[in-house]
Amino acid sequence: STNLIIHAKKIIKSFEGEYEGENEATILSFIAFYEDNLGNYDSALDFYIRSYEMRKKVYVENPNHPLIGHVLNNIGDMY
């Protein structure tokens, strides 16, 4: 599973700045969740925040979208 996270991080780097949709935000959240479970809290928080920022752009018309709330909840759980 460590190889999977390494591959996912490479994918993230390949689309940074080009694609900022829900699929990419979801990948960021999955990486964050994985890092959190490994105890890599700084990395997890970074990925959660990036996912949040991306989702704010995706759901600009609906700032109360459940997926925005979900990632904010995950950030809150880290504290």
Side-chain angles (χ1 to χ4, degrees):
S1 61
T2 301
N3 289 335
L4 185 61
I5 198 71
I6 290 169
H7 184 65
K9 286 180 179 179
K10 287 179 184 177
I11 291 170
I12 294 294
K13 285 187 184 232
S14 74
F15 70 67
E16 280 182 329
E18 292 183 40
Y19 306 101
E20 293 191 348
E22 178 51 41
N23 290 335
E24 292 77 21
T26 298
I27 292 170
L28 289 169
S29 284
F30 283 139
I31 293 172
F33 180 78
Y34 184 79
E35 292 282 47
D36 190 7
N37 284 317
L38 288 177
N40 301 329
Y41 303 116
D42 290 339
S43 178
L45 185 58
D46 178 57
F47 282 108
Y48 278 136
I49 290 171
R50 288 169 59 192
S51 176
Y52 168 68
E53 294 296 331
M54 196 174 292
R55 283 184 169 150
K56 281 194 326 185
K57 292 177 187 175
V58 170
Y59 299 110
V60 68
E61 300 286 325
N62 184 7
N64 295 321
H65 193 281
L67 289 173
I68 293 175
H70 179 72
V71 74
L72 286 173
N73 186 61
N74 288 340
I75 291 170
D77 283 346
M78 295 198 63
Y79 294 96

